[in-house]
């Protein structure tokens, strides 16, 4: 019996949640020169991605700056380029949708910048900041309204739920598992 890539991503995602909880929830805090103590923080996390159109357009810096200004902690960040095969795995939930081919070709057309973000209510907060999928329908001053071109080339991606953030985070940051375990 063959194991699907989506299944492997889900398994890795489940393992990632354990290590991310240790990283995001248990932090050392202390005064300068004083002894550090362990403090629990209950913050949610989400995956954010600057898409190829926004990278090509030179908007990465502005998006990262706005992300931090809005109170998100960038837990992990990297610039990478998806292969077509990787884009198909990442967007597998849309494989039967008419836009799947155009989406995966676009997402593999250039570099992306991927971030794992932490904040109270991170998923909903990020989705509010990025706006509606179609930039023309997005609220003023949202990332997609400011930097998006159309429904596919819409500048940024955001996880739609905490469970999605776990799977998507493990897709882009599997090294967190080995470095934190």
């Amino acid at each position: 019996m063959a194991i699907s890539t989506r299944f492997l991503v889900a398994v890795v995602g489940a393992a990632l949640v354990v290590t991310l909880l240790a990283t995001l929830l248990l932090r050392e805090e202390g005064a300068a020169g004083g002894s550090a103590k362990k403090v629990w923080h209950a913050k949610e996390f989400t995956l954010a991605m600057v898409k190829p159109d926004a990278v090509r357009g030179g908007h990465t810096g502005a998006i990262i700056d706005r992300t931090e200004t809005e109170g998100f902690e960038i837990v992990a960040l990297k610039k990478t380029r998806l292969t077509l095969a990787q884009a198909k795995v990442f967007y597998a939930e849309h494989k039967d949708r008419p836009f799947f081919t155009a989406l995966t070709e676009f997402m593999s057309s250039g570099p992306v910048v991927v971030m794992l973000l932490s904040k109270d209510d991170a998923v909903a907060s990020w989705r509010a900041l990025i706006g509606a999928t179609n930039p023309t329908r997005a609220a003023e001053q949202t990332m997609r309204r400011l930097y998006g071109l159309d429904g596919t080339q819409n500048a940024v991606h955001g996880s739609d739920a905490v469970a999605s953030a776990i799977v998507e985070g493990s897709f882009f940051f599997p090294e967190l598992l080995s470095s934190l375990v």
Side-chain angles (χ1 to χ4, degrees), residues 38-174:
K38 302 277 186 189
V39 179
W40 288 96
H41 295 274
K43 289 188 178 180
E44 190 174 278
F45 71 96
T46 192
L47 184 100
M49 183 180 352
V50 182
K51 291 183 174 183
D53 59 307
V55 173
R56 270 192 293 273
H59 304 300
T60 304
I63 291 170
I64 291 171
D65 182 58
R66 176 85 182 272
T67 299
E68 291 183 313
T69 299
E70 295 289 336
F72 289 91
E73 176 188 358
I74 300 174
V75 176
L77 179 144
K78 72 176 167 182
K79 186 174 186 178
T80 189
R81 184 171 181 155
L82 294 170
T83 65
L84 182 58
Q86 289 170 322
K88 287 179 178 182
V89 170
F90 186 77
Y91 287 104
E93 68 185 271
H94 301 302
K95 69 180 177 177
D96 296 326
R97 308 287 296 271
F99 58 81
F100 179 73
T101 299
L103 175 63
T104 55
E105 287 175 356
F106 161 65
M107 290 303 297
S108 60
S109 71
V112 296
V113 175
V114 190
M115 300 176 282
L116 195 60
L117 306 176
S118 176
K119 181 179 180 173
D120 291 331
D121 204 22
V123 172
S125 296
W126 180 250
R127 297 208 44 98
L129 179 60
I130 66 176
T133 301
N134 186 330
T136 61
R137 294 188 186 122
E140 293 293 328
Q141 299 305 307
T142 59
M143 302 263 199
R144 287 176 171 160
R145 182 64 173 252
L146 293 170
Y147 307 115
L149 304 174
D150 59 39
T152 300
Q153 296 184 60
N154 57 10
V156 289
H157 167 86
S159 302
D160 62 0
V162 174
S164 298
I166 294 166
V167 173
E168 293 174 357
S170 68
F171 185 90
F172 285 103
F173 298 103

Side-chain angles (χ1 to χ4, degrees), residues 4-61:
S4 74
T5 304
R6 186 76 173 164
F7 174 77
L8 289 175
V9 169
V11 170
V12 171
L16 179 64
V17 74
V18 174
T19 56
L20 283 176
L21 285 174
T23 303
L24 297 175
L25 300 179
L26 184 59
R27 302 287 176 112
E28 288 189 9
E29 291 186 353
S35 61
K37 63 179 182 172
K38 302 277 186 189
V39 179
W40 288 96
H41 295 274
K43 289 188 178 180
E44 190 174 278
F45 71 96
T46 192
L47 184 100
M49 183 180 352
V50 182
K51 291 183 174 183
D53 59 307
V55 173
R56 270 192 293 273
H59 304 300
T60 304

